[in-house]
Amino acid sequence: LEKMADISLKEAALIVGVVAACYWNSLFCGFVFDDVSAILDNKDLHPSTPLKNLFQNDFWGTPMSEESCHKSYRPLTVLTFRLNYLFSELNAVSYHFLNLVFHVVVCIVFLKVSKLFLDNRSSIVASLLFAVHPIHTEAVTGVVGRAELLSSIFFLAAFLSYTKSKGPDNTIVWTPIAVTVFLVAVATLCKEQGITVVGICCVYEVFIAQGYTLPALLDTAIQILQGKGSIPFSMLQTLLKLIVLMFSTLLLVVVRVQVIQSQLPVFTRFDNPAAVSPSPARQLTFNYLLPVNAWLLLNPSELCCDWTMGTIPLVESLLDVRNVATLTFFCFLGSLMVFSLRYPGDSSKTVLMALCLIVLPFIPASNLFFPVGFVVAERVLYVPSMGFCILVAHGWKKLSNKSVLRKISWVCLAAVLFTHALKTLHRNWDWESEYTLFMSALKVNKNNAKLWNNVGHALENEKNFERALQFFIQATQVQPDDIGAHMNVGRTYKNLNKTKEAEESYMIAKSLMPQIIPGKKYAARVAPNHLNVYINLANLIRANESRLEEADQLYRQAISMRPDFKQAYISRGELLLKMNKPLKAKEAYLRALELDRTNADLWYNLAIVYIELKDPTEALKNFNRALELNPAHKLALFNSALLMQESGDARLRPEAKQRLLHYVKEEPQDSNGYFNLGMLAMDDKKDMEAEAWMKKAIRLQPNFRSALFNLALLYSQTGKELMALPVLEDLLRYYPDHTKGLILKGDILMNQKKDIVGAKKCFEKILELDPNNVQGKHNLCVVYFEEKDLIKAEKCLVETLALAPHEEYIQRHLNIVRSKIASLGAVEQSSLPSDGTAAAEAKKNSFQNLKEGKREKTTTQSTVDNKEHSKNKKPTEKSSVDKETPKKSTKEIKDIEKKRVAALKRLEEIERILNGE
């Protein structure tokens, strides 16, 4: 073999230009299809996730021990995603750009490999055809296709390294072999098919490096077996190299089997119908899929992102006309193999290596050794297409060397490259969004229910439920036994508030599930997400208080089918809280934690249970566990800060503040975070800081009831009563029946503005809303006193005392008024005596009541008058099922003495005014 030709700068620039021209528009595409699971939903990309998790989880971030794991172990590919996330988080442009760069690298390295078997011109043709082939759009434009790109780089690098293992006089150079083994391991850690390069190295060693042909090998073997000769030294060296390669491969396979814990992934008949079909349909269909893949390489005009379910009907009979395609394919492949193995010469060597590149990397996806989770996948043809491109370039070289066909061959080549590049450019736009991708697939194939479902999901994400429903219903018609499609119909009906229709659809889906046999697990062929039919149906019916037990039965039914079904325990825990059974809810969450102790949401939910059990210490511990696992867990940050604030322990306030600051960084548009920062500042007597936080909360949510009231209360406590009035006006415009807002407004009007009429209207409004409101009625009595209507004041106080007979201050005030009436007799009295005791004490009580309410907090959706919160403490989980959690309010112990000091300061002013009159 001649020395491998180097790649010139012009050749590299040509490839870069062609790839850029074909794939520039891929930069405008988003995350679609499998990208959602591998990128958007994959916690392994987050810097907060330990790096070791990348080597413990599959490609999608699922632990290898879980049954739902796909067993696709590609940690180095995930590592590149993580680097993308580190620099640009979820900006899709950077992910697509890196894929484009990797494709350029593959094309350049492929050009170098091609020059081993083709002349310079033909090598460039092969590389250009590879660069523009439309079959590669799924691998290049789809972000998850990076596994193919990375694996291919190390795959080709390993092969190039191995070609340098033959030294002068046929000696063995061990360094390139060691590098090859290392690169094979790296390629395999990018994608599993990387290991197949070992087979290509073996074929290269025997038939290219050593120059053997199959007849020559057979002759040598026969002579050795007949004792007519010994094994040549060169052959012994070849055997030694092959043994080292095969032993290394075996070691990699053993490690790989250990990683997947000796378990194959779970796929259903919907993913790969032929895999669960009886003979001969299974064998005939698998064989027919080979010419289907070959046709996609020859004619990539109709490309589809998903070939599962009913895309390719099963070949169930020998009389099926599609068997002709299978037979033709095997005859053509066989003739090429005979030619390449039987005859010496450069042409046969080129064909042999091209066939190896086509066949060997495709074996893992061929279903020959184990079933895979798809029927056809365009991205797995990325490496096999290299062999195809070498074959085409070799054939073109043969034609172009004939003078008669030279012009035609050039014209045909130009036409193929141009049309392929145009198709690739156009195909990239299909990957712009999930809607465009799946609609393009439906143009090619209307018999795949998964495609109808996925278009429905895309519309559902846009809140276009009516149109989504049409696609989901069509999916059920295309595949009536598709459990997921019926679940989608049910969920969409629920979103459209059609509860009856939703329940009917869920019941149909449930009827398609296997019959329950106690103690038997259904992990083998029931997709884990199908078990969510029990969760969704239970969540639907538990909205009806009379059907809570029925909902619980559904959760238990799911658990009986899969005792390790974590989501069922989570949802059941929520229901048990709603049923006021916190101890049983605790048991459910603890069982779920046995299955997954690294789930921050579970620790958070358990904290909520401890709040229900009135155990704030344990609740805070569990909030902290959730934050250890996920420092950015928003609800854990928020509710643990509230718990610290409610504890009354001043030592916890700095940490509570830090958590709330972290929360508002994560959720900058949530006014609740700023409001509670304001409440913390009020607790710390940082009035200016509290005012700033409250104002920020109100800017984000102008009708924020609690923020408006507490800002007004803050002003009234700090001698800024007149600044409180416009805030109270806003509050009462949004909430005209806000009782304590009316009380505070009336107090300010009477004492600061001297507006007795305005104050009277406030207190009368309170009594319209609640005739039995003691505080409002008592304050109205004070107004009558201010109006010098002692008789009316007396009558008012008598009525107030009837409402609250045990309130000593009302009785005392009534006695004072009566004594004044008796002492005055018929003489007009324009003011109270200098002590002003009755009015002052009344005001003190009124304002004291207001202030005590200031520290109240709640974790429920209902609001309290003086300090309320709309952010809920509720269990959360990562699933598509509905969430609903019962909650109860918790109150902080009130610091009466501190409040009384502030109240008395205002009473001094009231007394001075009254004494002056």
Side-chain angles (χ1 to χ4, degrees):
L1 183 69
E2 294 181 4
K3 185 179 179 181
M4 181 174 52
D6 290 326
I7 296 173
S8 70
L9 190 61
K10 287 183 179 179
E11 291 168 342
L14 175 64
I15 289 173
V16 170
V18 169
V19 171
C22 289
Y23 285 99
W24 63 268
N25 57 339
S26 69
L27 300 179
F28 299 96
C29 298
F31 295 115
V32 297
F33 204 16
D34 289 341
D35 297 347
V36 176
S37 300
I39 309 295
L40 300 183
D41 297 339
N42 192 347
K43 292 181 180 178
D44 288 349
L45 271 62
H46 301 171
S48 58
T49 303
L51 269 175
K52 65 178 183 179
N53 284 24
L54 272 65
F55 296 89
Q56 295 172 349
N57 298 341
D58 71 0
F59 188 50
W60 318 98
T62 307
M64 297 299 286
S65 57
E66 289 194 11
E67 195 163 352
S68 59
C69 172
H70 280 221
K71 309 299 182 185
S72 46
Y73 188 65
R74 304 162 192 172
L76 296 186
T77 304
V78 179
L79 183 61
T80 66
F81 292 152
R82 185 169 172 132
L83 291 173
N84 269 120
Y85 188 93
L86 186 65
F87 288 107
S88 64
E89 293 195 349
L90 295 177
N91 180 5
V93 175
S94 72
Y95 293 80
H96 288 293
F97 178 74
L98 199 54
N99 271 25
L100 194 152
V101 170
F102 286 144
H103 183 53
V104 168
V105 174
V106 173
C107 293
I108 292 173
V109 180
F110 175 59
L111 174 59
K112 205 161 188 175
V113 170
S114 299
K115 289 188 176 186
L116 293 173
F117 314 110
L118 296 168
D119 59 33
N120 196 57
R121 189 174 62 183
S122 302
S123 298
I124 294 173
V125 168
S127 185
L128 288 177
L129 182 58
F130 179 81
V132 303
H133 203 295
I135 201 72
H136 299 154
T137 51
E138 183 170 340
V140 181
T141 310
V143 177
V144 294
R146 186 178 298 178
E148 261 74 27
L149 306 176
L150 282 172
S151 180
S152 299
I153 291 171
F154 296 108
F155 179 102
L156 295 174
F159 178 68
L160 286 173
S161 176
Y162 187 79
T163 60
K164 299 174 183 177
S165 65
K166 182 181 176 181
D169 301 324
N170 207 21
T171 56
I172 300 175
V173 184
W174 288 106
T175 301
I177 295 176
V179 172
T180 296
V181 172
F182 172 75
L183 291 172
V184 169
V186 173
T188 306
L189 290 175
C190 293
K191 193 177 180 185
E192 298 78 2
Q193 69 184 25
I195 201 169
T196 60
V197 71
V198 172
I200 294 173
C201 291
C202 291
V203 173
Y204 173 84
E205 176 65 31
V206 174
F207 295 101
I208 310 298
Q210 302 301 328
Y212 292 116
T213 61
L214 191 60
L217 285 175
L218 290 174
D219 288 343
T220 304
I222 289 170
Q223 288 179 6
I224 292 170
L225 290 173
Q226 290 177 348
K228 295 180 180 179
S230 60
I231 302 176
F233 181 71
S234 61
M235 189 172 286
L236 286 173
Q237 284 186 311
T238 301
L239 283 173
L240 180 60
K241 289 170 76 174
L242 295 183
I243 288 169
V244 170
L245 273 180
M246 298 307 294
F247 179 77
S248 303
T249 306
L250 184 62
L251 191 62
L252 281 174
V253 170
V254 170
V255 172
R256 184 69 174 82
V257 170
Q258 288 298 314
V259 165
I260 66 172
Q261 301 181 3
S262 304
Q263 292 179 337
L264 289 174
V266 177
F267 298 118
T268 70
R269 60 189 178 86
F270 298 115
D271 298 318
N272 189 350
V276 294
S277 299
S279 297
R282 176 188 173 98
Q283 290 75 20
L284 291 175
T285 303
F286 282 157
N287 286 323
Y288 172 66
L289 293 180
L290 300 177
V292 168
N293 281 280
W295 181 249
L296 286 174
L297 290 173
L298 277 169
N299 178 29
S301 59
E302 293 188 337
L303 299 177
C304 181
C305 63
D306 194 304
W307 294 80
T308 56
M309 303 188 92
T311 304
I312 299 176
L314 295 173
V315 182
E316 299 180 297
S317 167
L318 290 169
L319 300 177
D320 193 311
V321 69
R322 289 175 293 175
N323 289 319
V324 175
T326 305
L327 190 61
T328 304
F329 171 78
F330 277 111
C331 288
F332 179 71
L333 188 66
S335 63
L336 286 176
M337 289 182 69
V338 169
F339 168 76
S340 61
L341 291 171
R342 185 170 183 178
Y343 302 105
D346 291 340
S347 182
S348 59
K349 290 178 180 179
T350 301
V351 171
L352 178 62
M353 292 312 299
L355 288 176
C356 286
L357 280 169
I358 293 172
V359 174
L360 295 179
F362 187 74
I363 287 175
S366 65
N367 289 284
L368 291 176
F369 298 107
F370 48 82
V372 293
F374 53 83
V375 179
V376 172
E378 292 163 13
R379 62 178 175 271
V380 303
L381 293 174
Y382 189 77
V383 176
S385 69
M386 295 178 186
F388 171 78
C389 291
I390 289 175
L391 268 184
V392 172
H394 183 58
W396 173 82
K397 173 189 171 185
K398 295 287 187 185
L399 292 175
S400 63
N401 286 340
K402 296 181 180 180
S403 57
V404 180
L405 299 174
R406 184 172 299 160
K407 288 184 179 180
I408 295 175
S409 65
W410 277 101
V411 169
C412 290
L413 175 65
V416 167
L417 289 175
F418 179 75
T419 54
H420 276 45
L422 209 59
K423 173 66 177 177
T424 298
L425 192 66
H426 181 265
R427 175 65 173 157
N428 287 334
W429 289 121
D430 291 341
W431 292 80
E432 184 178 10
S433 68
E434 294 215 315
Y435 179 78
T436 56
L437 179 64
F438 297 125
M439 284 301 291
S440 71
L442 280 176
K443 293 175 185 175
V444 176
N445 168 34
K446 291 181 170 57
N447 295 322
N448 186 341
K450 191 174 178 181
L451 294 176
W452 293 99
N453 280 319
N454 285 335
V455 175
H457 286 309
L459 291 167
E460 187 180 33
N461 291 336
E462 297 171 2
K463 307 299 181 185
N464 192 345
F465 298 122
E466 292 285 357
R467 280 199 68 203
L469 183 61
Q470 296 172 13
F471 283 89
F472 289 142
I473 290 174
Q474 182 63 34
T476 64
Q477 293 171 355
V478 170
Q479 189 90 34
D481 58 350
D482 182 6
I483 297 170
H486 290 287
M487 290 169 62
N488 292 336
V489 172
R491 187 182 61 256
T492 310
Y493 272 131
K494 185 187 177 188
N495 289 331
L496 292 169
N497 295 319
K498 296 182 178 180
T499 307
K500 181 181 177 184
E501 291 86 347
E503 185 172 347
E504 289 173 356
S505 296
Y506 284 142
M507 290 302 292
I508 293 172
K510 181 172 172 283
S511 69
L512 294 170
M513 296 291 287
Q515 187 178 357
I516 294 174
I517 301 173
K520 183 176 179 181
K521 290 173 67 175
Y522 286 85
R525 284 294 172 258
V526 175
N529 62 317
H530 285 174
L531 287 170
N532 277 331
V533 66
Y534 296 99
I535 310 299
N536 290 347
L537 181 57
N539 286 353
L540 181 71
I541 66 175
R542 78 182 193 185
N544 184 339
E545 294 289 336
S546 65
R547 301 181 70 182
L548 297 182
E549 288 293 344
E550 186 180 346
D552 189 35
Q553 175 61 31
L554 285 166
Y555 293 135
R556 285 185 277 128
Q557 200 171 346
I559 291 168
S560 71
M561 295 185 77
R562 283 282 297 270
D564 60 347
F565 188 22
K566 179 177 62 180
Q567 187 56 57
Y569 293 105
I570 293 172
S571 297
R572 185 165 186 248
E574 296 176 9
L575 177 68
L576 290 167
L577 277 176
K578 185 174 183 179
M579 297 170 72
N580 198 24
K581 298 178 180 179
L583 287 174
K584 287 190 175 182
K586 177 183 170 184
E587 290 176 10
Y589 286 133
L590 288 173
R591 179 70 181 95
L593 280 168
E594 289 176 12
L595 300 170
D596 182 8
R597 298 191 67 81
T598 62
N599 188 322
D601 293 322
L602 281 174
W603 291 105
Y604 172 82
N605 289 2
L606 189 59
I608 298 301
V609 172
Y610 279 114
I611 287 176
E612 299 300 315
L613 293 170
K614 312 297 183 189
D615 191 345
T617 304
E618 280 300 315
L620 190 56
K621 285 181 183 177
N622 285 283
F623 279 138
N624 291 339
R625 291 291 294 275
L627 290 169
E628 286 172 13
L629 293 166
N630 180 10
H633 194 292
K634 297 172 187 176
L635 286 173
L637 284 168
F638 183 84
N639 286 297
S640 61
L642 280 189
L643 202 59
M644 290 175 176
Q645 190 177 0
E646 291 169 357
S647 70
D649 188 345
R651 293 171 298 178
L652 295 177
R653 285 182 197 159
E655 177 61 22
K657 182 178 180 180
Q658 288 304 312
R659 293 189 183 188
L660 285 173
L661 287 171
H662 191 167
Y663 176 78
V664 297
K665 184 180 178 182
E666 296 287 334
E667 288 285 345
Q669 298 303 311
D670 187 356
S671 56
N672 296 287
Y674 302 107
F675 167 73
N676 281 282
L677 280 166
M679 298 309 295
L680 270 176
M682 288 178 75
D683 289 340
D684 289 333
K685 307 300 180 186
K686 297 177 181 178
D687 298 332
M688 292 182 65
E689 184 181 332
E691 179 184 354
W693 289 124
M694 291 295 182
K695 284 182 174 179
K696 191 159 188 176
I698 293 167
R699 277 198 300 272
L700 289 171
Q701 186 182 337
N703 65 340
F704 196 155
R705 174 175 170 149
S706 298
L708 287 165
F709 178 75
N710 282 284
L711 179 59
L713 189 60
L714 176 66
Y715 284 143
S716 68
Q717 289 177 330
T718 53
K720 301 176 183 177
E721 289 86 350
L722 296 182
M723 291 179 68
L725 274 179
V727 180
L728 287 169
E729 293 290 349
D730 289 341
L731 172 67
L732 295 171
R733 186 172 69 252
Y734 291 116
Y735 307 100
D737 57 346
H738 197 292
T739 304
K740 300 210 172 181
L742 288 165
I743 289 174
L744 184 56
K745 182 183 176 183
D747 179 71
I748 294 172
L749 288 174
M750 186 161 58
N751 293 292
Q752 301 299 320
K753 300 281 287 185
K754 311 303 181 185
D755 183 357
I756 304 299
V757 175
K760 185 176 182 181
K761 287 180 180 177
C762 289
F763 301 137
E764 286 176 343
K765 175 68 173 176
I766 294 169
L767 294 179
E768 284 178 20
L769 298 169
D770 180 11
N772 296 324
N773 188 293
V774 174
Q775 196 171 349
K777 193 166 184 67
H778 179 267
N779 286 6
L780 185 60
C781 300
V782 176
V783 170
Y784 293 149
F785 193 90
E786 292 284 340
E787 291 178 337
K788 306 180 182 64
D789 193 340
L790 297 180
I791 302 301
K792 204 167 184 179
E794 179 191 20
K795 181 182 177 184
C796 178
L797 285 167
V798 169
E799 292 172 356
T800 307
L801 187 62
L803 294 173
H806 302 295
E807 292 289 352
E808 182 190 353
Y809 74 93
I810 299 176
Q811 180 64 60
R812 190 163 62 251
H813 296 170
L814 178 59
N815 292 339
I816 292 171
V817 171
R818 283 176 172 171
S819 66
K820 296 305 178 187
I821 291 173
S823 64
L824 288 173
V827 181
E828 287 289 327
Q829 179 71 29
S830 62
S831 66
L832 284 173
S834 60
D835 61 2
T837 308
E841 199 164 345
K843 294 293 182 307
K844 175 182 172 180
N845 183 270
S846 171
F847 191 64
Q848 179 70 25
N849 288 345
L850 274 176
K851 292 198 68 183
E852 286 183 5
K854 175 249 172 187
R855 292 177 187 259
E856 293 176 8
K857 300 182 187 72
T858 179
T859 59
T860 70
Q861 287 186 331
S862 60
T863 55
V864 296
D865 286 321
N866 292 69
K867 180 168 182 181
E868 62 232 18
H869 213 288
S870 61
K871 190 73 175 181
N872 301 333
K873 289 181 179 176
K874 60 181 180 181
T876 62
E877 69 274 5
K878 302 288 182 180
S879 74
S880 61
V881 299
D882 308 313
K883 312 173 186 70
E884 183 181 349
T885 308
K887 304 168 258 327
K888 296 180 180 178
S889 63
T890 58
K891 295 186 178 181
E892 184 184 20
I893 299 173
K894 302 174 180 62
D895 189 350
I896 302 297
E897 290 304 319
K898 289 183 180 180
K899 293 193 182 97
R900 185 171 298 164
V901 170
L904 286 173
K905 286 181 181 179
R906 295 200 59 205
L907 288 174
E908 290 174 5
E909 181 185 353
I910 295 169
E911 288 179 2
R912 282 197 301 270
I913 294 169
L914 292 174
N915 292 338
E917 290 180 354

